[in-house]
């Protein structure tokens, strides 16, 4: 028993001595829980962006519009007057759901004929899809009941007449982009990107730190080799492997997991190319300034969880705190995951991805610039700085006695 306590005491001492390990054990769980709590603070997805195309422009159709405007579950987007504008909004993400009121709506109601109201919603994000469907049913069922009650108020009608009025409004729902509610289509591409993100950063992030630990980095600094050649030589193998894995994992996802992957192959490859440049360059920069391999592994491990959630891939960024939403926009994973979803799931062209491509290109240029302009001057190791596993402190001789 004493030996067990001695070992435990020795480990506790090292936990408190190693600042990073102390943070991992005691602080990070609290930070993660607080971060996820802030992301999902709203708990209920409301104010879904809704476009209403009123083709009838009658008092009866305006009553339908008012029913949605008075619902806290929807936020009606103005200036959407045609089906083409609704479709455009659904493609670029400014609209997540739509209602189309037919031209003969009021006439059909007055004649007690069946009239259909078309509702559509974006199924590419299942969080929006599930909630929007429920909100549609709630608003339209309430509206239908109120309409019937108002019409029948004070009238003596037969059961058949009442049924005719009750069935006068029909709703057709369409799910766009992911009609089968495939969870693998919703989540799996994002998981592929985060895997490539973390593995890519870790692989290239250990290159320079490995040389530092072996005292061989000095030969690169002293050699008459320009910085860009050092970067290219170190990064090229990881870039090729990561790009190959990108194509392979997407193929496996489509072939064996039945993930919906459509759209332009050229755009898919372009996004992968830009993302790979960013990750390879960023990993090289991290490796340049990280003290050792252990710290690289720790930092990347700590970043993997919040990175995936603040990107807005699972929970809409518009429903997060503004600070987290803005922070997510600074991450290459955010743009890559959303861009891949726009291409493979919505089958959109380059004109819809212009902003994504421009921002990712700027990120690639910036990180590449940092990677090829590092100084070849060697800084002396800081005394008392971060070291692997808190240095070479060993237990006393009677440690296991």
């Amino acid at each position: 028993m004493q030996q067990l306590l001695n070992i435990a005491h020795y480990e506790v001492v090292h936990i408190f001595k190693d600042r990073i390990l102390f943070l991992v054990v005691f602080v990070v769980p609290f930070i993660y829980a607080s971060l996820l709590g802030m992301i999902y603070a709203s708990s209920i997805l409301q104010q879904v962006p809704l476009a209403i195309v009123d083709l009838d422009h009658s008092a009866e159709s305006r009553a339908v519009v008012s029913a949605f405007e008075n619902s806290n579950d929807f936020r009606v987007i103005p200036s959407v007057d045609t089906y083409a504008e609704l479709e455009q909004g659904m493609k670029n993400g400014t609209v997540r759901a739509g209602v189309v009121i037919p031209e003969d709506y009021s006439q059909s109601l007055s004649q007690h004929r069946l009239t259909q109201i078309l509702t559509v919603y974006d199924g590419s994000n299942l969080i929006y899809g599930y909630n929007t469907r429920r909100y549609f049913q709630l608003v339209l069922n309430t509206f239908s009941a109120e309409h019937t009650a108002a019409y029948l108020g004070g009238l003596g009608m037969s059961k058949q007449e009442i049924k005719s009025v009750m069935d006068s409004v029909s709703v057709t729902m369409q799910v766009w982009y992911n009609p089968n509610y495939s969870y693998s289509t919703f989540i799996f591409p994002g998981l592929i990107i985060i895997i490539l993100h973390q593995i890519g950063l870790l692989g290239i992030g250990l290159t320079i730190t490995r040389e530092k630990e072996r005292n061989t980095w000095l030969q690169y600094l002293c050699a008459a080799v320009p910085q860009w050649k050092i970067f290219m030589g170190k990064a090229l193998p990881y870039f090729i492997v990561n790009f190959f894995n990108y194509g392979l994992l997407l193929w496996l996802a489509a072939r064996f997991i039945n993930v919906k992957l459509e759209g332009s192959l050229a755009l898919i490859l372009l996004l992968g190319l830009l993302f790979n440049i960013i990750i390879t360059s960023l990993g090289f920069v991290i490796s340049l300034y990280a003290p050792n391999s252990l710290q690289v592994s720790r930092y990347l491990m700590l970043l993997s969880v919040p990175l995936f959630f603040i990107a807005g891939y699972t929970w809409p960024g518009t429903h997060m705190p503004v600070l987290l939403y803005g922070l997510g926009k600074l991450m290459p994973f955010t743009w890559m995951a959303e861009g891949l979803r726009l291409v493979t799931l919505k089958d959109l062209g380059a004109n819809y991805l212009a902003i994504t491509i421009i921002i990712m290109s700027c990120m690639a240029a910036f990180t590449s610039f940092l990677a090829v302009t590092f100084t070849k001057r060697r800084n002396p190791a800081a005394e008392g700085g971060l070291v692997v596993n808190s240095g070479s402190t060993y237990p006393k001789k009677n440690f296991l006695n």
Side-chain angles (χ1 to χ4, degrees):
M1 187 63 179
Q2 186 60 42
Q3 292 175 335
L4 187 152
L5 293 176
N6 287 341
I7 295 173
H9 176 264
Y10 171 70
E11 197 62 31
V12 169
V13 170
H14 273 269
I15 290 175
F16 280 90
K17 184 178 180 181
D18 188 332
R19 288 175 293 176
I20 302 300
L21 184 58
F22 176 83
L23 293 176
V24 170
V25 174
F26 292 103
V27 180
V28 169
F30 173 77
I31 294 177
Y32 279 1
S34 301
L35 178 64
L36 296 180
M38 292 172 64
I39 292 175
Y40 298 106
S42 59
S43 70
I44 300 175
L45 186 68
Q46 294 181 313
Q47 295 293 301
V48 176
L50 172 72
I52 302 179
V53 179
D54 185 0
L55 302 177
D56 191 47
H57 300 289
S58 62
E60 290 79 4
S61 65
R62 284 193 292 272
V64 178
V65 176
S66 297
F68 284 99
E69 290 177 338
N70 295 330
S71 171
N72 193 46
D73 298 323
F74 291 101
R75 174 171 55 87
V76 177
I77 304 298
S79 303
V80 179
D81 301 318
T82 65
Y83 187 86
E85 292 176 348
L86 166 62
E87 190 174 20
Q88 177 78 6
M90 291 281 281
K91 287 181 177 180
N92 59 34
T94 57
V95 174
R96 293 291 183 172
V99 175
V100 181
I101 304 173
E103 296 177 349
D104 60 347
Y105 176 74
S106 58
Q107 182 180 357
S108 297
L109 283 182
S110 63
Q111 298 175 359
H112 307 309
R113 289 190 292 107
L114 178 65
T115 179
Q116 288 189 336
I117 295 177
L118 175 65
T119 61
V120 298
Y121 53 95
D122 188 349
S124 64
N125 188 316
L126 292 189
I127 304 299
Y128 271 121
Y130 286 136
N131 286 279
T132 303
R133 182 182 182 88
R134 180 165 58 88
Y135 296 156
F136 270 144
Q137 292 173 337
L138 178 62
V139 173
L140 291 172
N141 288 343
T142 302
F143 172 78
S144 180
E146 292 177 350
H147 165 75
T148 303
Y151 185 85
L152 297 178
L155 297 179
M157 301 181 64
S158 66
K159 291 184 178 180
Q160 186 60 39
E161 291 174 325
I162 294 175
K163 185 177 184 301
S164 176
V165 175
M166 291 287 289
D167 294 338
S168 62
V169 178
S170 174
V171 177
T172 300
M173 290 191 181
Q174 294 182 359
V175 185
W176 288 4
Y177 311 124
N178 189 12
N180 296 325
Y181 288 111
S182 170
Y183 191 76
S184 59
T185 296
F186 165 59
I187 198 69
F188 202 78
L191 294 178
I192 289 177
I193 300 306
I194 197 65
I195 289 171
L196 296 174
H197 183 281
Q198 293 303 106
I199 298 301
L201 281 180
L202 182 61
I204 187 68
L206 297 178
T207 55
I208 307 303
T209 54
R210 182 184 65 243
E211 302 292 349
K212 293 176 183 178
E213 292 163 355
R214 294 177 180 177
N215 292 322
T216 55
W217 179 233
L218 185 60
Q219 66 182 355
Y220 290 93
L221 298 180
C222 296
V225 180
Q227 291 94 323
W228 70 268
K229 285 188 177 181
I230 296 176
F231 164 65
M232 291 291 291
K234 285 286 188 181
L236 188 59
Y238 299 96
F239 177 85
I240 294 174
V241 171
N242 218 35
F243 194 73
F244 172 79
N245 288 335
Y246 172 71
L248 177 63
L249 291 179
L250 288 180
W251 178 80
L252 291 174
R255 181 67 176 82
F256 297 104
I257 309 179
N258 298 319
V259 174
K260 180 184 177 182
L261 295 177
E262 300 178 353
S264 168
L265 179 60
L267 283 177
I268 294 175
L269 294 178
L270 176 60
L271 290 174
L273 179 66
L274 292 174
F275 185 68
N276 239 333
I277 294 174
I278 297 170
I279 295 306
T280 304
S281 304
L282 187 59
F284 185 82
V285 173
I286 292 173
S287 190
L288 281 172
Y289 298 102
N292 52 61
S293 301
L294 177 64
Q295 299 307 326
V296 172
S297 303
R298 283 177 170 178
Y299 292 141
L300 292 182
M301 180 197 70
L302 295 177
L303 286 175
S304 60
V305 173
L307 185 67
F308 185 72
F309 287 101
I310 68 174
Y313 192 81
T314 57
W315 186 258
T318 53
H319 289 69
M320 295 180 192
V322 177
L323 178 62
L324 292 181
Y325 179 65
L327 185 61
K329 288 296 185 180
L330 299 177
M331 307 295 179
F333 170 79
T334 303
W335 296 96
M336 175 61 190
E338 182 60 23
L340 188 64
R341 176 178 277 174
L342 292 177
V343 177
T344 60
L345 200 54
K346 292 189 174 183
D347 194 10
L348 300 183
N351 53 324
Y352 290 96
L353 277 84
I355 299 298
T356 299
I357 293 173
I358 290 173
I359 291 179
M360 290 185 66
S361 299
C362 292
M363 288 183 175
F366 177 69
T367 53
S368 298
F369 174 78
L370 293 180
V372 299
T373 56
F374 67 92
T375 176
K376 295 185 71 176
R377 183 179 59 189
R378 186 185 185 187
N379 296 322
E383 297 183 3
L386 292 172
V387 292
V388 178
N389 287 329
S390 299
S392 56
T393 303
Y394 298 98
K396 298 178 181 179
K397 292 182 179 180
N398 61 349
F399 173 66
L400 296 177
N401 295 335

